[in-house]
Amino acid sequence: MSASSSTYAFLGPRGTFTEAALLQVPDAAQATRVPASNVNAALDWVRDGSVHAAMVPIENSVEGGVTATLDAIAGGGELRIIREVLVPISFVLVAGPGVRLADVRRVSTHGHAWAQCRLWMDANIPSAEYVPGPSTAASALGLLGEDCLYDAAICAPLVAREQPGLSVLAEDIGDNPDAVTRFILVSRPGVLPPRTGADKTTLVVPLPEDRPGALMEILDQFASRGVNLSRIESRPTGQYLGDYFFSIDADGHVGDERMADALAGIHRISPATRFLGSYPRADMQAAPVEPHTADQAFQAARAWVAGILPPAAEPAESGSPASPKA
């Protein structure tokens, strides 16, 4: 693959919700779109310059954070989130030709999709066995192969429409009709998206030491500056039992005085903190800002302190005689 500004990776295969999210990016429909077999592969293509950016899922309104993405973006070469996209999620149950709902004994799909359809499955096919799949689309396409080890798959309606060999056994099988998945577009570090007034900042903060109050000390850096956290999740580092990092979404942009000051405080506590980006919120909902945490309040406070301090002594000119000793 040769990288260009019009080459994107996404969690494949084609027809996934991730590709639907990517198609919301203005130039993606005309760009080269490359499906990746997993999140790590998509992000590694970004890191090595094979693609300009990659779209991957990070959070679901029903199941929470997508651990594969949280872990993959927390390590390796640094990456930046430049955009987020929200996609309403609906599911269908599909099968190969001639298969009826009564024939279904084993169902394959991605774990997050299965979790969002459990109530429907329990009510309609209570004896069906779950077969984990790498993605909803991959499970559906697997039905068209020889010697498939399951009878049906849960996938997006788009896959069912585009694959003539699949028949839809049931529609709208999701337990929550308002389910939404959040996707992020990830690129290499570069120019930050400008402030919009409705932004989000994502961080990875390792817990520097496991002691009482360690997490509270981190959270206080945000709370004392009026920065709201919209998501915080703990993930094991994999180094040893009890060693964790925190994946955090905070309302605001690093260009905001309150956010910059909070990040400085976080870095003092945990120097290994990783900044993953400041970018516009998909819903464009601006977070409320109290007067004492607005940019003007921080600037006025710095000016007040500067007025208290004595002027800095000017350095002696080079070659000037030293002051005589007493």
Side-chain angles (χ1 to χ4, degrees):
M1 271 185 298
S2 60
S4 74
S5 60
S6 58
T7 304
Y8 295 93
F10 65 93
L11 179 61
R14 298 192 183 280
T16 58
F17 291 109
T18 314
E19 185 176 25
L22 179 57
L23 290 172
Q24 292 191 37
V25 176
D27 67 338
Q30 291 74 41
T32 301
R33 303 189 303 277
V34 185
S37 58
N38 55 66
V39 170
N40 277 299
L43 297 183
D44 283 344
W45 288 344
V46 177
R47 289 185 175 105
D48 68 21
S50 297
V51 300
H52 168 65
M55 185 71 76
V56 291
I58 191 172
E59 183 183 10
N60 178 265
S61 61
V62 176
E63 284 297 291
V66 179
T67 56
T69 300
L70 297 179
D71 294 345
I73 201 171
E78 279 202 54
L79 296 168
R80 291 286 186 272
I81 302 170
I82 57 175
R83 176 189 291 265
E84 69 172 9
V85 174
L86 303 179
V87 177
I89 303 298
S90 63
F91 297 102
V92 296
L93 184 70
V94 297
V99 177
R100 301 169 303 161
L101 188 62
D103 302 326
V104 176
R105 298 291 179 268
R106 307 186 82 209
V107 178
S108 180
T109 192
H110 188 273
H112 273 235
W114 180 260
Q116 294 179 71
C117 300
R118 280 180 297 197
L119 295 179
W120 189 94
M121 295 297 298
D122 288 344
N124 294 274
I125 324 176
S127 60
E129 178 186 349
Y130 167 51
V131 179
S135 71
T136 56
S139 292
L141 295 177
L143 292 167
L144 303 178
E146 296 182 3
D147 302 322
C148 183
L149 299 179
Y150 48 90
D151 311 303
I154 295 171
C155 66
L158 176 64
V159 179
R161 288 196 300 268
E162 293 189 348
Q163 295 297 326
L166 297 176
S167 60
V168 177
L169 302 182
E171 297 180 325
D172 295 323
I173 66 172
D175 301 330
N176 186 342
D178 299 318
V180 173
T181 294
R182 174 178 162 232
F183 297 84
I184 52 173
L185 187 65
V186 181
S187 70
R188 291 177 296 283
V191 178
L192 284 173
R195 287 197 294 173
T196 66
D199 303 292
K200 186 177 292 183
T201 293
T202 300
L203 305 167
V204 170
V205 183
L207 193 63
E209 56 180 318
D210 188 11
R211 58 174 173 78
L215 176 58
M216 183 62 68
E217 190 175 11
I218 291 172
L219 298 180
D220 187 57
Q221 303 303 312
F222 297 105
S224 62
R225 294 163 176 86
V227 176
N228 180 59
L229 302 186
S230 56
R231 181 185 62 86
I232 177 168
E233 299 184 57
S234 64
R235 293 292 304 151
T237 65
Q239 298 299 312
Y240 54 85
L241 190 64
D243 191 29
Y244 286 84
F245 68 83
F246 292 92
S247 177
I248 296 173
D249 288 334
D251 290 340
H253 192 281
V254 68
D256 299 334
E257 294 273 0
R258 67 187 185 282
M259 182 68 76
D261 207 50
L263 297 194
I266 291 291
H267 190 269
R268 290 197 307 272
I269 298 169
S270 180
T273 293
R274 174 172 287 199
F275 172 76
L276 291 180
S278 290
Y279 48 92
R281 290 175 57 107
D283 58 12
M284 295 308 294
Q285 295 295 311
V289 180
E290 296 293 332
H292 70 282
T293 63
D295 283 3
Q296 296 85 347
F298 279 91
Q299 293 159 5
R302 280 201 303 270
W304 178 72
V305 171
I308 295 172
L309 295 171
E314 295 184 5
E317 293 184 10
S318 177
S320 59
S323 300
K325 294 184 179 179

